[in-house]
Amino acid sequence: MDGHGLASVIHRAATDPVLPGDVTARARDLGPLESPLIWLGFGSAAVAVLAVVVALWYRRRVRRWGFTAFGVLLLLAAVTAVNSYVGYVRTSDDLARLLQRGPGAVNFAGRLLDDGKEAPEPSSSVSPASAPRLGAVTAGQRIDVVTLADPAHGIPAGSNYVILPPGYDTDPGRRYPVVYLIHGYPFGGPRDWLTSGDAPGSLLALQQANVIAPMIVVSVDMTAGNPSTDWECLNVPGGPQLESYLAGTVVPAIDQRYRTLADRTHRALGGMSGGGFGALNIGLHHVDEFATLLIALPYDDLNDSVGILDGNQAAVAANTPRRYLPTMKFVAPISVMLTVGTGAPTDVATARRIADALHARGQEAVVHAERGFNHTWHTARATLPYLLAFADQVFRTPSAVS
């Protein structure tokens, strides 16, 4: 049965969720380190220092130290202004984890700031049969680290963060649906959905409001040990096979270690920006594994990242959803939610194009737009509750007849 035939048998229950105001307000709120007052304060201090330097121009030492202070304050103002716009570092704990990526004294400063409450440190590499490391516990919610190396696919040990719902340890007979989330590129990592994306907080807020049933969320490491490279979650010719790693290694490992509902109907794949592209591309390649796709800040073309495929035109065509989706045949139905900020018109146009292509193939697609938001972590964080609630709708829907 092709995509058009499936249109008549899909049970169309998933829609753009309507969420409680306190849940959405929480997701949209700025963290303490995102406040514009920070960069305005640094900027004002820089102006004040410059005024002192001008007033005491005749004093050489004042000029020398004054210009140094002015430069430092101006740099801090610029960095904090960018962070206020992007929403990458929300709290001191986020800052600690960012600094821990650096060398020497920077790493040490990050460890001093880290209170260890939000996420555990990665454990050493483990075999598929090994138990995961137990991590942070907040309000009954537990975060584990599953560290998986996949030499056969060119992937070094990567730390995948597993968010387990309250009650997981006290109800051993219950099994749970799973949402897999992919970070952005480049310089993204699996911790980003725990910090910048606030996945643990959104999950708790939605569950406490009885909007969603308990689920497991896995933030997957798709860096292949090199976060500075824009891998786009691809099977790279002569390089890491990231698509195969996620679908063939991570998913079976999570199903083996945890009490999951190990079928496509109860499995969703999502991501933001580059991770959103990866989720769309991998999900369309593996509709037998994922019935739901959750795409924040979408794009459907490799664009500047096409070079990662080293001129292999067959690989480019096979990994460009904009090309293959309009004629794709679906062996099973999928439900897709795409979220964007209205301040990023390219994202809006892309989301609508993807949704239209899916509708033309008889598949379910919903676009959610946040007014005034842009292509930033602010948008990903603000729309994550909608994505999770959408996944929950599909998880509760009876399987489509095929």
Side-chain angles (χ1 to χ4, degrees):
M1 182 180 293
D2 64 16
H4 293 284
L6 284 170
S8 63
V9 295
I10 294 176
H11 182 76
R12 295 188 174 277
T15 58
D16 190 351
V18 177
L19 302 181
D22 57 340
V23 172
T24 58
R26 182 191 176 284
R28 292 170 181 149
D29 279 350
L30 297 180
L33 295 187
E34 297 174 297
S35 171
L37 294 177
I38 298 175
W39 69 264
L40 287 171
F42 281 126
S44 299
V47 171
V49 167
L50 184 60
V52 171
V53 171
V54 171
L56 300 175
W57 188 261
Y58 60 92
R59 299 181 63 173
R60 180 179 296 179
R61 180 172 294 182
V62 170
R63 292 204 306 271
R64 183 170 66 248
W65 287 104
F67 277 125
T68 300
F70 172 76
V72 170
L73 289 167
L74 198 61
L75 177 62
L76 289 171
V79 169
T80 52
V82 170
N83 184 64
S84 181
Y85 174 77
V86 173
Y88 190 67
V89 179
R90 300 173 304 131
T91 66
S92 60
D93 207 53
D94 292 359
L95 178 60
R97 291 190 164 80
L98 179 63
L99 294 175
Q100 285 174 42
R101 297 182 184 180
V106 175
N107 182 279
F108 180 71
R111 292 184 178 278
L112 288 178
L113 279 173
D114 191 354
D115 60 15
K117 292 181 179 178
E118 288 193 14
E121 287 298 309
S123 59
S124 59
S125 185
V126 294
S127 67
S130 300
R133 170 173 171 167
L134 300 186
V137 179
T138 303
Q141 181 187 72
R142 192 178 92 212
I143 302 175
D144 287 355
V145 180
V146 174
T147 306
L148 293 170
D150 188 356
H153 290 119
I155 309 295
S159 298
N160 304 281
Y161 290 85
V162 182
I163 309 171
L164 300 171
Y168 181 87
D169 294 314
T170 58
D171 188 0
R174 183 168 186 170
R175 292 187 171 272
Y176 300 86
V178 186
V179 173
Y180 293 85
L181 295 176
I182 307 174
H183 53 79
Y185 288 101
F187 298 105
R191 283 183 174 181
D192 291 349
W193 276 111
L194 277 64
T195 55
S196 309
D198 191 31
S202 289
L203 280 165
L204 282 176
L206 288 165
Q207 290 167 14
Q208 290 169 355
N210 295 315
V211 174
I212 65 172
M215 63 178 66
I216 296 171
V217 170
V218 182
S219 184
V220 186
D221 186 345
M222 297 291 275
T223 65
N226 190 354
S228 64
T229 300
D230 196 352
W231 297 115
E232 300 286 3
C233 305
L234 297 170
N235 280 349
V236 179
Q241 308 294 290
L242 283 158
E243 176 179 329
S244 297
Y245 171 67
L246 190 155
T249 302
V250 175
V251 170
I254 296 301
D255 286 340
Q256 184 178 19
R257 286 175 169 83
Y258 296 97
R259 298 192 311 276
T260 66
L261 291 165
D263 60 74
R264 67 178 301 273
T265 306
H266 296 96
R267 192 182 292 133
L269 177 61
M272 64 87 67
S273 192
F277 172 85
L280 177 66
N281 191 45
I282 294 174
L284 292 175
H285 289 171
H286 295 270
V287 296
D288 57 328
E289 289 190 59
F290 304 100
T292 308
L293 304 182
L294 311 170
I295 317 298
L297 321 182
Y299 58 92
D300 55 358
D301 197 300
L302 287 166
N303 299 316
D304 295 339
S305 300
V306 70
I308 200 72
L309 294 176
D310 198 27
N312 186 321
Q313 292 304 309
V316 171
N319 290 285
T320 304
R322 187 171 183 176
R323 294 193 197 179
Y324 67 73
L325 180 54
T327 58
M328 178 175 169
K329 292 186 177 181
F330 286 82
V331 297
I334 62 169
S335 297
V336 182
M337 186 173 199
L338 306 116
T339 63
V340 296
T342 59
T346 300
D347 286 2
V348 175
T350 300
R352 289 173 177 166
R353 180 174 64 241
I354 295 170
D356 288 345
L358 286 163
H359 290 152
R361 304 308 299 163
Q363 306 306 308
E364 182 177 68
V366 174
V367 176
H368 173 88
E370 285 287 302
R371 186 168 298 280
F373 282 65
N374 299 290
H375 191 98
T376 67
W377 267 108
H378 283 310
T379 309
R381 185 166 72 238
T383 60
L384 181 60
Y386 292 94
L387 293 168
L388 295 174
F390 180 86
D392 179 74
Q393 289 180 10
V394 182
F395 293 155
R396 296 172 188 255
T397 301
S399 299
V401 179
S402 61

